[in-house]
Structure formats: C-alpha cells, structure tokens
Amino acid sequence: MSHATVETAKVVERRKRSALGREQTRTAWLLLLPTLAVVAVVALIPLAQTIYLSFTNDRLASAQPTEWIGLKNYRFLLEDTVFRNSIVTTVKFAVITLVFELLLGLIIALVVNSSFKGRGFTRAAMLIPWAIPTVVSARMWAWMYNDIYGVFNDLLQRLHIIDRNIAWIAEPRYSLAAICAVDIWKTTPFVALLLLAGLQVIPSDVYEAATVDGANRIQQFFRITLPLLRPAILVTLIFRTLDALRVFDVFYVMFGARRDTQTMAIYAQNNIVAFSDTGYGSAIAVAIFLIIGIFVVAYVTTLNVEAS
Amino acid sequence: MPFDKGYSDLLNDAMAGRANRRQVLRRAAVLGLSLPAIGALLAACGGDDDEATSTTSTGGETATEPAATSEPESSPTESEAESSPTESEAEASPTEGEAEASPTESEAAGSPTGSGEMSIDVAPEVANADAASQYSGATLTYYGDGVGIGNQLDETLAKAFTDATGIQITVIPRPEDSTETYATYQRAFEAKSGEIDVMMVDVIWPGAFAPHLADLTDAFSDMTSEWYESIVENNTIDGKLIGAPWFGDFGILYYRTDLLEQYGFDGPPATWDELEEQCKTIMEGEQANNPNFWGFVFQGKAYEGLTCDALEWIASSGGGSIIENGEVTLDNDNAKAILAKAGGWIGTIAPTGVTGYQEEDARNAFQGGNAAFMRNWPYAYAQGNDEGSAVKDKFDVGPLPAGDGGESVGTLGGWQLAVSTYSKNQEAAIEFVKYMVSADVVKWRAVVATFVPLIKSVAEDPDVIANQPYLENLADVTRVTRPSRETGENYNQVSTEFFQGVNEILTGGNADDIVPTIAQRIERLLG
C-alpha cells in the first residue's frame, strides 16, 4: 500500500519540477557530449568494428573479398588448443604477478607511509622501475638473464649456488618465473603507489583509539588497515588484472613467438599482424575482452564494491 | 640482412646522430663484447660533436667529409672531390671513409689504397639520368634501409639521383624489424595508399604482396639474365617480375681457424656428424679455461631466423624443403632424424640459451670468443674482423655442413626493390629502381658496405671479392628458398607453425611426434 503511494507522490513531484529537471538534464547531456563523442570515436566504434570483423574472413591487404562467415571463427576458436594454452599461460602469469605485487606493494606502501628521514626521496626512488618503458626493461632483463655473460649467472656462480650457467629465458622450466620477475620488479612500485594513496586516507584517530583500547600493531593491521584499505586494494586488483591479462610487450621482447609462452594478446597480435588474418584475430580479441570482463565482474561482486 | 639485427643497430641509431659512421662502425663490435661499456661508449660518442655535424648533414653530399687529422693521405682526395663534386665518383681515390668503413677490405687488399676507387660518400653516376629526366619534378617516397649504414647509403644514392634527374625523393627508413615493415606495407596496401612509391621487399614477401606491386618485367628485361636465376624465379609471380633483386644473403658457417688447428683438424666440418665431433673435442679442451665455451651457436629462437636454420638442416640432409610442388614434404624420416639430432645439440654442443638466440646473440657469443662454430649471415664477417673483436683474424667462413647423402645448402635471404601499383609516379619510381639496382650501385654498395651482390658479374668482380673473400668460396653453394611462393599470403603462418614446432623440438620435444603435427598444420593452412 505504502509503496504505491510513495510512487505516486514521486511522480507528482517530478511533474512539478519537470521544467527545471528537463533543463538540468539537457545541460548534463550537453556537458557530457564531448566526452561521449570521444569515447565513441576511440573506443566504441573500434570495438563494434572488431566485433563485426570477428564474424568475417577478412584478411589485411588480401585480393580476396571479405565475406560474412557467421560463427565459424568462434567455432574454430573453441577447438584451438593454442589459444587454450595461451589462456593458461596468461592466467598463470596474472596470478603469480598479482600475488607478489600485492604483497610486496603493500609492504613497501606501509614502509613509505610511516614517517622517517628521507621518506620523500624513497617515495620518488621506488618509482624508477615503473618509469622505465617496458620494452627497455625487458631488454635490460634479457641481458641480465643471458646464459653466457648475464649478470645473474655470474653472481650465482660466484656465490656457488649454481655450478653451470642457466639459460633463464630459453629453458621452459625457468622462463615463466623469469618473466614474472621482470613484471613484478616493474609493477610493484605502481601497486605500492595505489595502496599508499589508500593508506593516506585512513584517519589517524582510528589508530589512536585502537592504541588506547590496547590493540597491538598486528591487530591494528588486520582490524583497521586491511578493511579500510579494501577500496584501494580492489582498484589495484582491477587495474593489475586488466594489465596482466592483456600482457604483450614483455613476452614479445623476451620470447618472440615461442608457442609455450604465448599470451592471449600475443596470439591475437600474431594472427592480425603477422598472419594478416584480421577475421580470426578479431575473434580472439573479442574473446580476450570477454575473459577480462568475467574477471572484472567477479571482483566487483565478490569484493562488494558498493559496501566498500 | 638478418631479421632483427637488434641491439647494436639500435645503439647505432642512437649514436648515429652524434658520432660519425666510422666511429659507430668501429664500435659496433665492441658493443657486442662488453656491454658494461655501453655507457662509456655513448659518452665517448657524445664527445665527438665537431665531427658529428659533418656526417649527419652529409645525407647525399657528394663531397667527402672533412678528413680526420690522423689520415693525411685523404686530404688530396677531399679537395679534389670538393672541387668537382658531381663527377668525382670514378676518380675519387680512397678516402678515409671507405678505408674505415670496411676494414676487411683494406686488410685483404694489403694496403689501404689497394682496391679503392670508391668512396662511401660519393654515389655512382646515374647512368639512366637522360631517360629519367623526363619525369623531372616528380616526387617519390622510398622506404629504404632502417638504421645504420644502409640508411646512409640510401640518402647518398637518393641525393645523387635527384641531382641528376630532378626527381625528388624522400627516404624513409623502414622499421628495422622486418615483421614491422611487413605490417607497415600491409596497412598501406589495404588502404590502397599512394604514400609509398618504392620499397624494400624481403625475399619471402613477393608471394604475399604480388597483387599490390607493379609489374617490372618489361622495364628490367635486359637485366633478367644478369641476376642469379633462383632470385629471379623467387621474384616472379604468375609470370610477372614484381621486385628487382637488390642484395642477397645466405646462411654460412663461421669457424675458428686457430682452434681447428690447435685441436688437429684439417678443416671445417663437412657433415653435421663431423661438426658434433669437432665441437666435442674443442669444448673438452676449451672449457677448462672458459666454462662458458660452446661448440656451435645458431638462431634457435622461435622466429623467422629459425625457419632459415632448420630449412638448411633439413635440405642438406635430403629432407626436402618443407613444401615442394604444392605438396607438404616435411614429414619424412630424414627431416625427423636431423631435427632430432639438432635437438640433441642443445646443452651438449650448443648452449641451452641458443633456443632464445637471434643473429646478434649468436654473433655476440662467437665474436666474444665463446663459440667454435656459428651459423649466421655474411654481415657478421666484417664485424668479426673489426678492432676489438676477440676473434679478429682467427676465423673464416665456408659452406654449412651437410647430412649423410645430402649436399651443403644456404637459405636465401635478402631484399628486393619494388614499386607500388598505387604509386602515382610509377614511371619515375621504376627509373629510380633501375638506378638503385644497376651494376654500378650494387658494386659500390658491395665495396663500401659489404652488401652481397645478386648480379653475377658484380659478384665475380675482383674489387668485390677483395672486399668479401668468402664470396669466392661460396659461389657453388646451393641456395634454398623458403616456400614463400608456394604459400603466398599464408607464408608467415606456415613459417610460424614450422619454427614453433622446431623450437619445441629444440627445447626437448620429440621430433617423431612433432614433425607430423607441423606437417598436418601446414597442410590444413594450404588446404
């Protein structure tokens, strides 16, 4: 009963305010228009085009005409073991790097959040790996991993940890760990920065109250810091997961087109650029889009972003 | 040219603006050897400001650059060239540019003045200037060599051509990575863009790009018999010549003469089995001093270079050349056996890291004195003999080994010049190509920068042989072509299936299982 009355009241009120409301709505749309136009041009149109191409047999610079082939690309994609392997590789990479980056990033954020002499310098210095372009850092690490004159082999030999040089990149059993290390080295500062921002908005009086109540540091961390940091962690997780699932540059520089280390993005790029197979490549790109979508939805629902 | 000359060229690029060419070349070898020195090197190059301006601005200037003080013999030439800048090419005696650019040449010739009538800064005369002048005023865009010396030669040649004909040419360095170049052209073709008039085309692209390239058959009818047959055949699609052969490349074996002698071998290995034996013997001895010493390095990374290497292994062992007459012939016992043998090299005679090596990685290992044998392209020869190379004067090159009952082969590489059908100035573009692939220019490029000629008479020219002595030893080696004509626009995909499969074998996969899989996948692509 009450529900219906409330609704009616709302409608009446809305009618009363309609002139003003309409004007406001119009202004809002007017202000949003440039943004929407830009988003449409740089994101929506290309996305629509990719989805369209994924239903065709389009080939770049081919003499053959482009034809609509329906779901054929997707049917092939479902049976494509190479793509399946690339999903496994990418997800493995994402999980390993995320876990380490979150742990290390949190530690670093906590350290640089406490006050000590030279904190400003430390905060700036920790960002250096993040400031280096990925291709450059990948090349740099490739040199360090080199099996003949790489610095890692040299150090480990001197410390008598290994007795013969190891080809970190080339040997399949080490390559995933090797590449994860590069990404962790590079991206941990970024994670630390995001978490630091989260830490700084936690009011200090909460900690004071906890201290008065006799809670120790560890209790404070688990009862105050972590829960209040949840929004920041969620943002970090989403950012990093998106990045990790689309990873391309590190793998491309270090491994080229090796089959066992192909990520989803490399497989898509290979199909589109090297094979000119725009149709099938687009289908892969759409699949990547959907897979990433699944992850984002999972995060948002399980971590309950609204409540945070 | 190698597919990704990688680091040193990148660095060359970085330095080219600030150091002049001679310095860059001299130091390229050092780069590979001692990386920690890069910083110092760059700093050193930065200090050469006064000389630097002359090279970067030369582009196409016909006058030689100001002589370095240490080379008095060049000063007369310099003044001569400056006094008659346009016709000095033939008379110009060796300038310091030439002597420095190709140290091997002067060594082989015995004296710095021995072979030289050519200067790196003076382009050969434009023989077709009269015919080309009718298009005076046309503008062309030319996608030429990427960074390094190739780009410098392009600029010099383009300038000379413009001066002689009035046809304006914009030289754009193509991306150094050939896959990137491929993608760039593809986009231009897809858009039917007239932005590219003349372009460099890799030996494996004619099949894929033929529909977009102008028919050069008539324009070059008098040249056809001058080039090597295999390359003309490679560039002829449906009876049309779509690319003029420019310079070639083929796989060769580099070997350490000092080590062969020290361990009592008469000569380089003729078969893959001999290679294994020699590697084992030499490694046993050398590893006592240098635990990182290996027998054989090659290109084992999953990329186009591995297709070239593996094709050589298979073709030299009687296993065919992957696809023959439209049939996939890869799945045979000889191919399986030699690929399994190659898989066995990893960790025994070749470093485990070789499965991640490209040309430059192999060259660094060999040139640093860490390997007895290397498979590579001819470009590594000049750099191996540069100052600062640990193997300077200690190595030689020869044909690659062969399998039992097979014959030695080298995979054919190299670049052609082609004209886009979407070009608005095709006639002018063809005249430019005529100049660029003319015997004079090809000889000049061979002498000043060791580009391998594809014109038979030039390859036999004493001046060229003095500069690239290996050409004589390798004249009879069979050049195998990758199956790019058979596969057309699917070539990259076929090659990827192949090199990925071979890479799996090298990293421990079973050749008997993997080879049939590769063959099936390739058949599916073609079917």
Side-chain angles (χ1 to χ4, degrees), chain A residues 212-234:
Chain A
V212 171
D213 289 346
N216 65 25
R217 282 301 185 99
I218 294 168
Q219 284 170 322
Q220 286 180 14
F221 176 77
F222 283 105
R223 296 289 172 88
I224 300 172
T225 313
L226 267 192
L228 288 176
L229 204 55
R230 203 164 69 166
I233 292 178
L234 181 74

Side-chain angles (χ1 to χ4, degrees), chain A residues 118-178:
Chain A
R119 187 175 67 166
F121 174 78
T122 316
R123 280 186 187 174
M126 86 182 189
L127 279 173
I128 289 176
W130 176 247
I132 297 174
T134 313
V135 173
V136 176
S137 55
R139 251 292 98 101
M140 210 165 80
W141 278 75
W143 284 116
M144 297 199 289
Y145 283 135
N146 189 288
D147 58 320
I148 291 182
Y149 38 77
V151 68
F152 285 126
N153 280 316
D154 189 52
L155 283 177
L156 294 175
Q157 287 254 21
R158 278 167 204 253
L159 296 172
H160 299 286
I161 295 173
I162 54 172
D163 55 359
R164 56 164 202 94
N165 281 3
I166 293 173
W168 299 100
I169 299 179
E171 285 181 45
R173 69 190 130 149
Y174 301 117
S175 35
L176 188 66

Side-chain angles (χ1 to χ4, degrees), chain A residues 58-64 76 80-82 139 142-143 146-149 157 163-167 169-172 252-260 262 269-277 280, chain B residues 4 6-7 10 32 35 177 179-180 182-183 186-187 189-190 208 211-212 292 294 301-302 351-357 360-361 364-365 370 489-490 492-493 496-497 499-501 503-504 507 521 524:
Chain A
D58 186 53
R59 288 186 71 94
L60 262 186
S62 173
Q64 283 160 11
F76 188 74
D80 190 345
T81 51
V82 182
R139 251 292 98 101
W143 284 116
N146 189 288
D147 58 320
I148 291 182
Y149 38 77
Q157 287 254 21
D163 55 359
R164 56 164 202 94
N165 281 3
I166 293 173
I169 299 179
E171 285 181 45
Y252 190 73
V253 172
M254 282 212 174
F255 301 128
R258 212 168 100 189
R259 189 176 281 144
D260 63 327
Q262 252 175 351
Q269 191 266 359
N270 219 0
N271 272 281
I272 295 174
V273 178
F275 305 163
S276 331
D277 197 343
Y280 189 55
Chain B
D4 178 5
Y7 330 115
L10 280 173
L35 284 159
D177 182 336
T179 316
E180 296 293 320
Y182 184 86
Q186 227 171 22
R187 283 191 290 269
F189 292 147
E190 173 77 12
H212 310 282
N292 288 322
W294 291 93
K301 186 176 178 176
T352 40
V354 81
T355 56
Y357 278 15
E360 285 293 271
D361 306 291
N364 286 334
N370 288 319
E489 59 183 19
N490 286 321
N492 275 344
Q493 208 162 351
T496 303
E497 293 293 355
F499 68 62
Q500 285 184 335
N503 185 264
E504 271 180 71
T507 50
R521 285 167 178 267
R524 201 195 65 207

Side-chain angles (χ1 to χ4, degrees), chain B residues 401-450:
Chain B
D404 297 329
E407 55 160 6
S408 174
V409 303
T411 296
L412 186 72
W415 293 84
Q416 342 301 318
L417 289 180
V419 174
S420 164
T421 47
Y422 311 113
S423 162
K424 291 176 187 69
N425 293 306
Q426 285 185 36
E427 290 83 5
I430 288 174
E431 290 299 333
F432 179 57
V433 174
K434 272 187 181 166
Y435 171 60
M436 293 293 276
V437 303
S438 67
D440 289 346
V441 171
V442 168
K443 181 181 167 184
W444 179 73
R445 288 171 54 87
V447 171
V448 302
T450 67

Side-chain angles (χ1 to χ4, degrees), chain A residues 40-178:
Chain A
V41 170
V42 303
L44 297 181
I45 295 176
L47 184 65
Q49 202 172 19
T50 308
I51 293 173
Y52 165 74
L53 284 174
S54 70
F55 292 103
T56 67
N57 64 353
D58 186 53
R59 288 186 71 94
L60 262 186
S62 173
Q64 283 160 11
T66 302
E67 283 167 25
W68 180 269
I69 54 165
L71 287 170
K72 211 169 142 198
N73 282 331
Y74 289 97
R75 229 171 284 142
F76 188 74
L77 191 65
L78 285 179
E79 293 162 10
D80 190 345
T81 51
V82 182
F83 183 62
R84 223 173 291 159
N85 290 340
S86 77
I87 299 177
V88 174
T89 309
T90 317
V91 171
K92 262 195 217 161
F93 170 81
V95 171
I96 296 173
T97 55
L98 259 173
V99 168
F100 278 93
E101 283 164 15
L102 267 184
L103 281 178
L104 294 172
L106 190 58
I107 294 171
I108 294 174
L110 288 171
V111 170
V112 296
N113 192 41
S114 59
S115 54
F116 59 93
K117 215 176 168 186
R119 187 175 67 166
F121 174 78
T122 316
R123 280 186 187 174
M126 86 182 189
L127 279 173
I128 289 176
W130 176 247
I132 297 174
T134 313
V135 173
V136 176
S137 55
R139 251 292 98 101
M140 210 165 80
W141 278 75
W143 284 116
M144 297 199 289
Y145 283 135
N146 189 288
D147 58 320
I148 291 182
Y149 38 77
V151 68
F152 285 126
N153 280 316
D154 189 52
L155 283 177
L156 294 175
Q157 287 254 21
R158 278 167 204 253
L159 296 172
H160 299 286
I161 295 173
I162 54 172
D163 55 359
R164 56 164 202 94
N165 281 3
I166 293 173
W168 299 100
I169 299 179
E171 285 181 45
R173 69 190 130 149
Y174 301 117
S175 35
L176 188 66

